Amino acid sequence: MRNFKCVVLLFLITSVIVLGHHSGVMFDRDKEVTLKGTVKEFVFVNPHVSILISVTDANGVTKDWSFEAASTQSLVKSGWRKSTLKVGDTVTIVGHPLKDGRNGALLMRAILADGTVMQ
């Protein structure tokens, strides 16, 4: 019986860690940002694909924005490929921004230079 309780406790602890990792609580799902910029980095690996773009505002100030996306498998099902974005490409990205105000967001969709919408 003691071993069973230990196994159950270990399962519960592991479950909390896994759920915490996949939490989206850091993103403000009530807001969206739309940013047009130049791709600096496109990392098409698990557990989450990431995109880094440079965005220049109306005052000429350039800031980098980081976008977190789903896993490679999820994006492939939506038509994404490792070659979808290349460094230097112009892209418009829509996402849910970080709640703490840093330059980051959860990717909702990307509009490529040719007008293709990637979800």
Side-chain angles (χ1 to χ4, degrees), residues 48-82:
H48 300 284
V49 172
S50 65
I51 304 168
L52 182 66
I53 66 172
S54 289
V55 179
T56 303
D57 68 17
N59 298 324
V61 177
T62 301
K63 294 182 181 176
D64 289 343
W65 275 76
S66 176
F67 291 85
E68 179 179 314
S71 68
T72 57
Q73 293 88 347
S74 294
L75 290 181
V76 165
K77 289 177 185 176
S78 298
W80 286 81
R81 301 291 178 263
K82 193 173 189 173

Side-chain angles (χ1 to χ4, degrees), residues 16 22 28 34 47 53 62 68 77 97 99 101-102 105 107 110 113 116:
V16 169
H22 289 96
D28 188 342
T34 302
I53 66 172
T62 301
E68 179 179 314
K77 289 177 185 176
K99 289 179 181 177
R102 289 182 294 143
L107 176 80
T116 303

Side-chain angles (χ1 to χ4, degrees), residues 5-20:
K5 287 181 183 179
C6 289
V7 169
V8 170
L9 181 61
L10 181 62
F11 173 77
L12 290 173
I13 291 171
T14 305
S15 298
V16 169
I17 291 170
V18 169
L19 287 174

